[in-house]
Amino acid sequence: MTDSSLRVGLLVDGEPTSEQRAAAEWIGARDGAAVETVPFDALDAGDGAGRVDVLWWHRDRPLGGVNPLADAAPAVEAFLAAGGGLCLSLYAFAAVDALSVESVPPDRVGDDALGEPTGVLWRSLRADHPALDALDGLRHPIRRRGTVPGVRYERVLPADGEPLASTVRGGTEVPEEVTVVSWPAGDGAVLGIGAPVLFAEPPTEERGEPDRELDATRDRLLAGCLRSLASSDPVPSRPESAADVRRLRERVAEAGEDGPGGRPAYHLTAPANWLNDPNGLIRWGGRYHVFYQYNPGGPYHNTIHWGHAVSDDLVTWRDEPVALSPSPDGPDRDGCWSGCAVDDDGTATILYTGGRGRDQLPCLATTDDPELRSWEKYDGNPVIEAPPADLDVLETDDWRAEFRDHNVWREDGTWYHLVGTGLSDGGGAALLYTADDLREWTYEGPLLTGGPDAGAVWECPELLDLGDRRLLHVSDYENVVYFLGTLADGELAVDSEGLLDHGDFYAPQSLDDGDRTLTWGWLPEARDVAGQWDAGWSGALSLPRVIELGDDGDLRQRPAAEVTDLRADRIADHRDVRLAADDRRRLDAAGATIEIDAEIALEDAEAVELSVFETPDRAEHTPIRYERDGTLTVDRAPSSNDPRAFTDPQSMSAPPYDEPLSLRVFIDRSVVEIYANGRHCLTSRVYPTREDAVEVSAVAEGGRASISRLTAWRLDDAMEPPEGEASTGDTASVAARERRP
Ligand code: DQQ
């Protein structure tokens, strides 16, 4: 549709303001687009909407407790039902909950004093939205100076609307300030725009040099928004069914995230947007359920919900709809943070951290849904009202008390519960509570405190029973530290400690599978906010790891045996590869989604390097280097030509318990997950940019080395279509998996 066939009704309550007059002039001057003023009371009288394609309420003054849209809602909704479009800009965006399309209005409504070019940061997943037809890219500053209306979702998300854009300010992404939202409504649609789209001349004192470029962007953006409302394409809303969620996943793949440096194929990921900690891991009705911290608003950490995936076999996963969302009136209004799931005598029950304002407190929810899709929140939430009164819990700018994350288990009929915290005078701590009923807890004391040298806060504490000893792990903002020891009188007597993984691995959680402990960790991105925003997704989970004690009492870690079921084709099978000093050998193990199982001996070399994600000219490659002193390093400096990717090396010590070094390396588009000698883990996130960054080579340095064995397989995708649906690619890979012995 061209502007000339666009008929706009400019909604006014009372005399039009100079801004409204300027907006009317602007649209009227667009190549003959028709504009008329439609008073709200004309709508009430059943007049005014029939002649226009789009109603536009452009309100530049605060609502001041009056919302004319509320009275006009029946007329506006009838107009929408018949295919009309409604644009709510500036303060009018704050009035959207007067319509039945939305119950949660923008939570930030006020003036902004601009100091730098400010505008919209469009979501990459919605880059094909017709509003952007006349613009290139995702970042569109529209206003540089002045005091302007600023209306947005900041700590909450709309309950039903789909966020289309956040904020860019002075060249910096501010994803948590959501300024453009769309809602389907009958055959029509509603678009809310809280970004500063202003047309009147600014007051003299705010005028500077004219910003012609920014004005032109504003014009294109707003004309695109109005045109999009006049088109008959239904605006996609927030996905609700498993099939919707699957389509969201496919969108990311279609956006080109399915090659080297892209979204992992066989590591568990969210369908799009943001994922962090694994949560609520439970085997229920014979299936594995993994929930995870999820932001449906985009690939950034805010407004956290619980995403959900389910598996019968631990390697193929199916996306489920979002399982848990913040309740606008609940103690979890600002987010449903990390927690766990337990079987309470046949009732699946979760305990998680509710965030609201500066408080974070434990909340409980239960379900009788065998699929664990829908949860009922306990109306007595929070189940603990405040951190222990006799403890000096750390207060920060964000939180009145750092007090979160839950690990609950039952022993001899008593429930035990760990909560992570920080002490004002003593670093991180894991606090122990007990209960007969999951809703009433008694504080027992700290299970373990880190002391002043530990990280300020211990997040996501988890106590595992490994037979002879217990393992407590905590996430201290940087590392996942584990402590091995014995439990006596509610305290852990520690005899050794270490790191569960030495790379990009955080906030793990486990489930007891009957005879083994399976642990998943969050693999955070190692690229900046802009890189994550453009990709449209962020975060993956590690492979499920079996954690246990060896006969020597030390920790062992290996991928769950089922992971071998992902092996599709064997692509390399080398024996006795002799590496002369500095003689690089290309191994025929190319691929971006592969597993390498190798045994390497240094002989008289100083180091040996296995290089993965390598382009034929080696412009991009990721060396995994093993040195004589047992140091194993992933060198990310040459990994990527993308300046947004982190380049710091990641190392661990893998002493030669059993020379030669045995390695299992899982390469998955942007993941390198390494298991050394069945004991030590190092996971790195890397982002090769080139399609041909798939080669593998090896070289010895300062002497000879040998690879006694190197086998490689191409691995299948982990994600399955929702029940009752099969896309061709998935069917092929599932069938291939079934054929394998
Ligand atoms: N992530 C959660 C918190 C936890 C942190 C919030 C660890 O509950 O402390 O998304 O990554």
Side-chain angles (χ1 to χ4, degrees):
M1 164 168 309
T2 64
D3 290 349
S4 55
S5 55
L6 183 67
R7 295 166 307 162
V8 177
L10 200 80
L11 285 167
V12 290
D13 52 315
E15 265 307 291
T17 62
S18 52
E19 173 58 31
Q20 287 172 329
R21 282 198 302 273
E25 260 169 49
W26 169 79
I27 188 71
R30 286 195 71 84
D31 202 12
V35 60
E36 63 179 90
T37 301
V38 179
F40 272 99
D41 36 23
L43 282 181
D44 292 342
D47 185 26
R51 294 184 301 275
V52 301
D53 306 302
V54 175
L55 287 171
W56 178 17
W57 189 21
H58 181 66
R59 174 155 179 130
D60 56 315
R61 297 200 179 139
L63 292 168
V66 187
N67 187 350
L69 192 57
D71 291 337
V76 171
E77 285 175 352
F79 170 70
L80 295 169
L86 174 68
C87 181
L88 300 172
S89 51
L90 308 179
Y91 284 111
F93 185 25
V96 65
D97 60 323
L99 300 174
S100 56
V101 292
E102 183 54 60
S103 54
V104 179
D107 57 317
R108 199 292 181 174
V109 181
D111 283 347
D112 284 336
L114 301 185
E116 2 182 36
T118 300
V120 299
L121 172 68
W122 208 268
R123 276 172 83 186
S124 58
L125 282 183
R126 305 286 167 191
D128 59 352
H129 193 280
L132 282 203
D133 276 357
L135 291 166
D136 289 329
L138 305 174
R139 293 158 179 81
H140 301 294
I142 52 177
R143 182 96 180 176
R144 186 187 305 271
R145 53 178 74 80
T147 301
V148 298
V151 180
R152 50 193 174 253
Y153 288 91
E154 270 191 12
R155 294 188 70 113
V156 299
L157 280 185
D160 300 302
E162 172 71 342
L164 294 180
S166 289
T167 300
V168 61
R169 186 176 294 123
T172 302
E173 292 76 14
V174 194
E176 60 279 12
E177 295 186 3
V178 175
T179 55
V180 185
V181 176
S182 70
W183 292 265
D187 285 343
V190 178
L191 201 59
I193 308 172
V197 280
L198 289 157
F199 296 90
E201 275 282 291
T204 333
E205 71 279 8
E206 290 181 353
R207 259 178 233 161
E209 286 299 301
D211 280 321
R212 295 197 202 294
E213 211 182 307
L214 300 193
D215 287 353
T217 307
R218 171 204 62 194
D219 291 357
R220 289 195 197 109
L221 179 71
L222 204 63
C225 287
L226 294 172
R227 264 198 317 273
S228 78
L229 282 167
S231 75
S232 55
D233 289 345
V235 183
S237 64
R238 294 263 290 277
E240 277 167 14
S241 69
D244 286 351
V245 176
R246 173 67 185 189
R247 274 191 282 282
L248 191 58
R249 175 173 291 283
E250 282 164 359
R251 257 173 178 264
V252 175
E254 286 155 16
E257 286 295 317
D258 56 355
R263 183 171 61 179
Y266 61 84
H267 285 80
L268 195 48
T269 55
N273 307 315
W274 171 269
L275 165 150
N276 61 301
D277 317 348
N279 289 155
L281 306 177
I282 193 165
R283 195 160 187 208
W284 195 259
R287 288 179 159 170
Y288 296 95
H289 291 262
V290 166
F291 301 89
Y292 51 83
Q293 296 275 283
Y294 177 60
N295 179 12
Y300 60 97
H301 185 264
N302 202 29
T303 54
I304 291 294
H305 296 51
W306 278 30
H308 183 196
V310 67
S311 173
D312 291 329
D313 58 9
L314 215 52
V315 287
T316 47
W317 294 87
R318 202 180 60 233
D319 287 315
E320 292 285 321
V322 166
L324 200 63
S325 302
S327 297
D329 302 323
D332 59 0
R333 182 198 63 185
D334 299 348
C336 301
W337 282 24
S338 283
C340 62
V342 291
D343 178 350
D344 184 12
D345 290 330
T347 302
T349 303
I350 55 178
L351 269 112
Y352 64 98
T353 300
R356 185 179 178 116
R358 296 187 67 236
D359 289 318
Q360 37 186 208
L361 291 166
C363 295
L364 180 143
T366 54
T367 186
D368 53 13
D369 173 3
E371 307 292 336
L372 307 189
R373 283 186 174 144
S374 53
W375 294 84
E376 195 172 325
K377 294 177 187 172
Y378 172 50
D379 56 16
N381 280 336
V383 292
I384 296 174
E385 298 282 342
D390 57 349
L391 212 58
D392 195 3
V393 171
L394 184 68
E395 176 175 357
T396 53
D397 287 349
D398 290 334
W399 304 110
R400 205 185 312 278
E402 297 276 345
F403 182 69
R404 61 179 172 274
D405 308 334
H406 310 278
N407 167 220
V408 176
W409 71 99
R410 182 137 61 172
E411 227 171 289
D412 302 327
T414 298
W415 288 109
Y416 292 84
H417 178 180
L418 288 183
V419 184
T421 191
L423 304 179
S424 305
D425 56 355
L431 307 181
L432 183 65
Y433 288 76
T434 56
D436 294 328
D437 180 319
L438 291 167
R439 291 154 190 81
E440 287 193 31
W441 294 97
T442 306
Y443 176 56
E444 302 290 348
L447 182 94
L448 189 67
T449 51
D453 296 334
V457 176
W458 280 358
E459 300 184 291
C460 302
E462 187 181 54
L463 188 73
L464 303 174
D465 185 352
L466 298 186
D468 290 346
R469 285 188 295 165
R470 309 275 181 140
L471 181 148
L472 172 74
H473 66 76
V474 300
S475 294
D476 68 2
Y477 287 150
E478 275 191 17
N479 293 310
V480 183
V481 186
Y482 73 81
F483 304 93
L484 277 171
T486 44
L487 205 54
D489 299 328
E491 289 183 24
L492 188 72
V494 176
D495 47 55
S496 64
E497 61 180 90
L499 301 186
L500 272 191
D501 189 297
H502 299 255
D504 300 314
F505 179 92
Y506 199 71
Q509 199 184 98
S510 312
L511 70 77
D512 185 340
D513 194 18
D515 56 358
R516 60 183 175 169
T517 300
L518 290 167
T519 303
W520 284 259
W522 165 38
L523 311 182
E525 298 300 303
R527 54 179 160 181
D528 67 13
V529 173
Q532 296 175 54
W533 184 266
D534 290 355
W537 66 277
S538 175
L541 296 187
S542 69
L543 294 171
R545 297 178 179 178
V546 175
I547 294 197
E548 60 193 3
L549 294 181
D551 293 340
D552 55 4
D554 283 348
L555 197 63
R556 298 286 190 279
Q557 297 193 74
R558 60 189 153 84
E562 288 90 333
V563 168
T564 57
D565 294 343
L566 284 167
R567 292 174 182 169
D569 329 302
R570 181 181 296 208
I571 52 172
D573 203 2
H574 296 281
R575 303 281 142 176
D576 279 328
V577 181
R578 304 264 149 205
L579 299 173
D582 304 322
D583 172 22
R584 181 169 296 278
R585 294 277 290 274
R586 178 140 292 156
L587 304 164
D588 50 351
T593 53
I594 60 172
E595 175 193 347
I596 299 171
D597 188 356
E599 223 166 61
I600 299 170
L602 280 179
E603 313 220 344
D604 58 2
E606 283 310 309
V608 73
E609 183 188 291
L610 188 68
S611 173
V612 300
F613 285 129
E614 185 169 281
T615 55
D617 59 1
R618 304 199 76 238
E620 290 187 331
H621 62 284
T622 300
I624 302 168
R625 222 178 118 78
Y626 183 58
E627 291 166 78
R628 187 152 285 286
D629 68 356
T631 307
L632 190 141
T633 303
V634 175
D635 177 6
R636 298 192 289 188
S639 291
S640 174
N641 290 331
D642 185 346
R644 300 175 302 185
F646 300 169
T647 52
D648 54 313
Q650 294 175 305
S651 293
M652 67 175 172
S653 174
Y657 293 102
D658 49 357
E659 270 264 57
L661 172 76
S662 84
L663 278 186
R664 280 182 81 182
V665 182
F666 293 87
I667 305 290
D668 194 3
R669 292 184 181 155
S670 55
V671 172
V672 181
E673 183 169 345
I674 302 172
Y675 296 76
N677 294 335
R679 297 169 186 251
H680 313 286
C681 291
L682 171 65
T683 306
S684 293
R685 302 299 311 279
V686 294
Y687 305 91
T689 61
R690 282 173 44 178
E691 281 298 309
D692 57 354
V694 292
E695 307 281 347
V696 176
S697 72
V699 68
E701 291 172 15
R704 288 160 307 162
S706 67
I707 302 176
S708 54
R709 175 178 61 73
L710 185 146
T711 314
W713 298 263
R714 190 183 58 76
L715 300 197
D716 275 334
D717 274 21
M719 299 314 299
E720 282 185 348
E723 259 167 2
E725 265 194 41
S727 71
T728 341
D730 290 304
T731 318
S733 70
V734 169
R737 197 171 296 129
E738 278 163 3
R739 278 199 307 277
R740 254 169 263 142

